DNA sequence: CGTTGCTGCACAATCGATTGTGCCAAGCCG
DNA sequence: CGGCTTGGCACAATCGATTGTGCAGCAACG
């Protein structure tokens, strides 16, 4: 059953023409090469009948192109990156490039190895999303003349398109403070930030946005208001538990730095009485549809994945790889209604901006 | 900065040897071809210095291989399929194949087009996951001699590895009934099934598993106990709402057929008092980590993604594509504790089985 | 009738790596 | 010393498609 694939030579023989004629017909430039329309028709019918498919390895070799565009991401199994894959595919297909997405598990060695392999398949462009070591990837790409763009995590050796974490954190913090109610307890009358890692670029920017808004609104911000305890849910759970003990209840507002952290925090919150939850305003930087069904109101920031990749492709389209800019895309602030509503989510400012 | 990539001919010239010698050295079979070790060392040093990378288009063309293995999935942006991508990559890499995952958006035309393009890149194997029209894909693959396996949704023209939906539904239904409490109301003393589409293979098998267990335990099952209202959350929300009206409260047990449906159901449940929720046992076919933080106990079935793909690769490894078997992999039944616990999830039977 | 110009195609080189085969030189044996 | 083996490599064909160039054949034209 496993037939030999048919080639232009097979078709040429069947049609009684030369291979170059077949090639001209099938690649669509038979008019420029002055092939008679009758001949073209005949070849096309034969190709369809034989179910001919071009061998892109051969074609790519000759044309010194592959039609492939690659993207590396840390992992597939993640809401943010999987929606990046989805957007990436759409944008690549619009441009008639064939998308290849590969995960690198936050392992710098695998990151580099994967990029090398992608290059060996002659990919034409590379989107480097959430890379742990974007600059090494840039060096490798540059050596082989592969144009590329960083997304989500910035590098210094290529143009980077990242989320405007500072702005998003400001918006979330402001909305949290606006929706929160003053407490009599001085200890609890503060907004708190929990989750993430302070060495991470995104977390740092969010901490800054949070701190700046808190300072503007309250005059000052204390060290104990910010706890970049790590990304894991259990760490955030423990952090909020101990905060709860330390200040004798929930704070006025709580900024939770990821959905993973939110999971842990919610595990702790479930042990508290409902009226205590009602006294705290909750916000989460990052979005999960399931969080909309939690039992308390929640503000969430949704990163603008389409915006990030759209901008990345705009850079690729314009071939402006040289300037190594840093482009920031504003996220969206969303509000999960506390009681079942017709539409569960309503966007607040919904803005796409470029710094 | 954009250098021409170096080829074996460049290296040959630099090393003062022939291209075939360079090729032999770099492809690792220089011993069989009796190249002197000194020559090999020299070539390898040069290749490293020049940052030579083989051109896989050329190599693949000559060897009539590509090193590529493809997988099509309906979408990336989904917990189940994105974890399939993750497992697929791991298994492919173990075998030194380069994985390409592409989504086809449940569009039969895009499905076929994507497969054709993958074939034109000379992929060596294809995993067809969750395809809407697996048999058309099979025909296309067969015509071009590409070995393939269906996963998640079965086809008739290739071996299929799917989740044991019947068994999983039985387990979930039994556990639900075991954990549920009898009600005085005759109307409410029943288990109900909600969500999914009856034309879908998976939903049908789950309905059968549910119905068979209910019949065994209660002697009979009524039509109104099963409502395949569709996948959307709003549909499930409406279905449960009207059920609640019809039987004057929640039923004894509720089998929810997807996490999407669960989202909708939870939106409705949030409008009910807590003590009413406590009288119903909830189960969801499919798993979401965020569901663990819901305010009521929940049984969940987690499909065994590693098991599904592991079996698919075992078939590829053994090259037994001819027999067109249907292999069913048992899922896991998990229990989300109702109150914050050290470990939020505990597996109940945790079994991998092949029918 | 010779020249020009156009049509319609074929020929052959090429992309870069792989691989069957051939060939020279050194070593060994009888 | 001649023949045979073996080591060490080069040569050239090959994979399938693309593309610059060449060349018949025919019509038109002066």
């Amino acid at each position: 059953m496993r037939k030999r694939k048919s080639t232009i030579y097979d078709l040429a023989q069947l049609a009684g023409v030369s291979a170059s004629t077949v090639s001209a017909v099938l690649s669509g430039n038979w008019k420029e090469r002055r092939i008679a329309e009758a001949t073209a028709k005949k070849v096309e019918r034969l190709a369809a009948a034989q179910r001919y498919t071009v061998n892109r390895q051969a074609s790519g070799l000759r044309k010194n192109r592959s039609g492939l565009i690659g993207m590396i991401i840390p992992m597939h199994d993640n809401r943010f990156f999987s929606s990046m894959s989805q957007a990436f595919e759409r944008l690549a297909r619009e441009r008639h490039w064939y998308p290849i997405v590969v995960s690198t598990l936050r392992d710098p060695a695998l990151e580099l190895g994967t990029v090398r392999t992608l290059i060996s398949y002659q990919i034409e462009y590379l989107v480097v999303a959430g890379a742990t070591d974007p600059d090494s990837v840039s060096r490798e790409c540059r050596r082989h003349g592969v144009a590329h763009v960083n997304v989500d995590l910035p590098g210094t050796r290529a143009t980077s398109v990242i989320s405007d974490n500072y702005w998003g954190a400001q918006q979330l913090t402001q909305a949290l403070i606006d929706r929160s109610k003053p407490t009599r307890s001085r200890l609890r009358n503060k907004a708190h930030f929990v989750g993430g890692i302070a060495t991470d670029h995104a977390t740092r920017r969010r901490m800054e946005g949070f701190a700046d808004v808190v300072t503007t609104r309250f005059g000052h911000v204390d060290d104990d208001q910010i706890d970049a305890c790590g990304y894991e849910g259990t760490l955030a759970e423990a952090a909020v538990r101990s905060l709860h003990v330390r200040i004798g209840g929930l704070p006025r507002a709580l900024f939770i730095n990821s959905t993973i952290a939110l999971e842990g925090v919610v595990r702790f919150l479930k042990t508290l009485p409902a009226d205590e939850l009602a006294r705290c305003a909750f916000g989460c930087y990052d979005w999960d549809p399931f969080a909309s069904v939690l039992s308390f109101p929640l503000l969430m920031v949704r990163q603008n994945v389409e915006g990030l990749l759209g901008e990345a492709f705009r850079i690729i389209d314009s071939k402006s790889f040289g300037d190594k800019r840093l482009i920031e895309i504003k996220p969206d602030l969303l509000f999960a209604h506390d009681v079942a509503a017709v539409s569960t989510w309503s966007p607040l400012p919904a803005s796409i901006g470029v710094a």
Side-chain angles (χ1 to χ4, degrees), chain A:
Chain A
M1 185 52 59
R2 179 182 277 265
K3 309 186 207 175
R4 234 179 49 68
K5 289 174 189 172
S6 72
T7 70
I8 53 168
Y9 299 97
D10 303 334
L11 293 181
Q13 195 149 34
L14 287 172
V17 298
S18 78
S20 59
T21 299
V22 175
S23 171
V25 171
L26 297 179
S27 61
N29 71 333
W30 53 276
K31 280 190 177 160
E32 296 90 278
R33 287 182 78 85
R34 295 188 320 226
I35 308 295
E37 186 159 356
T39 311
K41 284 261 190 293
K42 178 167 58 175
V43 169
E44 277 170 350
R45 251 186 299 103
L46 263 173
Q50 300 291 313
R51 314 205 164 278
Y52 169 82
T53 316
V54 8
N55 181 329
R56 295 209 190 211
Q57 289 191 143
S59 164
L61 173 61
R62 177 62 229 259
K63 293 201 289 188
N64 196 26
R65 293 179 23 89
S66 66
L68 298 172
I69 176 169
M71 175 165 84
I72 61 169
I73 58 176
M75 50 196 167
H76 291 286
D77 193 1
N78 171 285
R79 245 178 225 295
F80 179 59
F81 291 114
S82 63
S83 63
M84 295 216 37
S85 300
Q86 203 67 64
F88 176 75
E89 281 193 0
R90 195 179 56 69
L91 291 162
R93 283 184 176 141
E94 276 177 6
R95 289 159 175 79
H96 302 286
W97 296 330
Y98 203 78
I100 298 187
V101 182
V102 201
S103 76
T104 57
L105 306 171
R106 295 199 199 283
D107 170 354
L110 187 55
E111 228 161 56
L112 214 55
T114 297
V115 168
R116 270 195 256 267
T117 309
L118 283 171
I119 290 174
S120 76
Y121 281 108
Q122 314 298 113
I123 55 163
E124 302 183 17
Y125 305 100
L126 180 66
V127 172
V128 182
T132 57
D133 186 4
D135 284 352
S136 290
V137 170
S138 282
R139 259 189 299 271
E140 193 66 24
C141 286
R142 196 156 284 271
R143 281 202 266 267
H144 294 97
V146 174
H148 61 290
V149 182
N150 295 318
V151 172
D152 183 47
L153 288 182
T156 65
R157 311 177 74 91
T159 294
S160 302
V161 184
I162 65 173
S163 209
D164 193 338
N165 289 295
Y166 179 77
W167 184 89
Q170 282 190 312
Q171 302 301 306
L172 180 56
T173 308
Q174 275 173 5
L176 275 175
I177 293 174
D178 287 345
R179 279 153 202 274
S180 71
K181 292 184 279 277
T183 349
R184 258 158 312 180
S185 152
R186 183 119 55 87
L187 265 180
R188 289 192 271 109
N189 195 33
K190 298 197 284 191
H192 280 256
F193 178 108
V194 64
I197 301 179
T199 55
D200 173 58
H201 180 274
T203 297
R204 233 179 16 253
R205 294 291 289 158
R206 293 174 194 173
M207 286 166 43
E208 288 165 14
F210 173 82
D212 286 358
V213 167
V214 169
T215 304
T216 304
R217 302 287 287 268
F218 291 92
H220 65 103
V221 61
D222 302 331
D223 281 353
D224 85 306
Q225 282 177 261
I226 300 185
D227 186 358
C229 59
Y231 276 116
E232 282 185 50
T234 53
L235 298 174
E237 182 179 357
V240 174
R241 191 193 307 281
S242 83
L243 172 67
H244 185 265
V245 170
R246 198 167 72 244
I247 65 176
L250 287 173
R252 175 172 170 173
L254 190 58
F255 182 126
I256 299 149
N257 193 24
S258 71
T259 46
I260 305 285
L262 177 62
E263 275 181 44
V265 171
V266 172
R267 274 199 298 273
F268 170 67
L269 295 181
K270 279 168 61 184
T271 66
L272 301 179
D275 63 323
E276 186 171 353
L277 295 191
R279 287 199 297 268
C280 175
F282 298 96
C284 179
Y285 205 113
D286 259 345
W287 179 83
D288 188 298
F290 231 95
S292 73
V293 296
L294 290 173
S295 55
F296 50 85
L298 179 65
L299 287 163
M300 302 188 96
V301 173
R302 182 168 55 189
Q303 302 201 53
N304 186 343
V305 168
E306 289 277 336
L308 285 165
L309 279 179
E311 191 59 31
F313 272 85
R314 202 165 7 257
I315 288 159
I316 293 175
D317 289 341
S318 69
K319 304 203 175 306
S320 57
F321 304 98
D323 41 6
K324 301 177 190 172
R325 285 174 302 155
L326 184 70
I327 297 169
E328 298 198 302
I329 305 290
K330 295 199 192 330
D332 297 331
L333 183 58
L334 301 176
F335 179 57
H337 295 258
D338 49 345
V339 179
V342 176
S343 152
T344 311
W345 288 97
S346 59
L348 295 181
S351 43
I352 303 173
V354 176

